[in-house]
């Protein structure tokens, strides 16, 4: 069994959305959850790059699946105009055994 940490690709969006839904259930905001595949595509893979996601991709035999996600965005602070990386979400949905 091997786990790789890597940048998200557009092909990951369905599994990424499922991880985000699991987090919404866990943290009890699934009723307000409004993220869609189109929104992830526009926010993460358009020229705006409003968000960036890093995933944990775990290999089970010959199949792999996403088991974790970290979502970040860059914020320019008004007092220094220096960018800061903000971690907005860190979630692992499975045990790796």
């Amino acid at each position: 069994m091997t786990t790789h940490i890597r940048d998200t690709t557009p092909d990951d969006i369905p599994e990424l959305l499922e991880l985000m839904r699991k987090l919404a259930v866990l943290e009890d905001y699934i009723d307000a959850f409004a993220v869609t595949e189109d929104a992830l595509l526009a926010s993460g893979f358009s020229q705006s790059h409003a968000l960036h996601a890093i995933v944990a991709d775990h290999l089970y035999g010959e199949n792999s699946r996403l088991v974790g996600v970290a979502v970040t965005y860059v914020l320019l602070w008004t007092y220094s105009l220096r960018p800061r990386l903000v971690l907005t979400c860190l979630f692992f949905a499975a045990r790796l055994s």
Side-chain angles (χ1 to χ4, degrees), residues 19-97:
L19 283 175
M20 295 172 82
R21 281 192 185 114
K22 287 180 180 181
L23 178 61
V25 168
L26 180 72
E27 293 189 348
D28 199 27
Y29 61 85
I30 192 65
D31 292 340
F33 189 78
V35 179
T36 65
E37 288 187 16
D38 288 340
L40 286 174
L41 189 61
S43 296
F45 300 98
S46 66
Q47 289 199 1
S48 71
H49 293 289
L51 66 87
H52 178 248
I54 300 165
V55 293
D57 188 5
H58 191 71
L59 185 62
Y60 294 91
E62 294 184 18
N63 301 313
S64 68
R65 67 179 176 145
L66 300 186
V67 294
V69 60
V71 179
T72 64
Y73 64 92
V74 175
L75 181 64
L76 288 177
W77 290 94
T78 57
Y79 66 89
S80 68
L81 292 181
R82 294 178 64 185
R84 298 237 175 148
L85 183 66
V86 178
L87 175 64
T88 186
C89 169
L90 178 61
F91 179 67
F92 283 83
R95 292 180 65 162
L96 303 180
S97 56

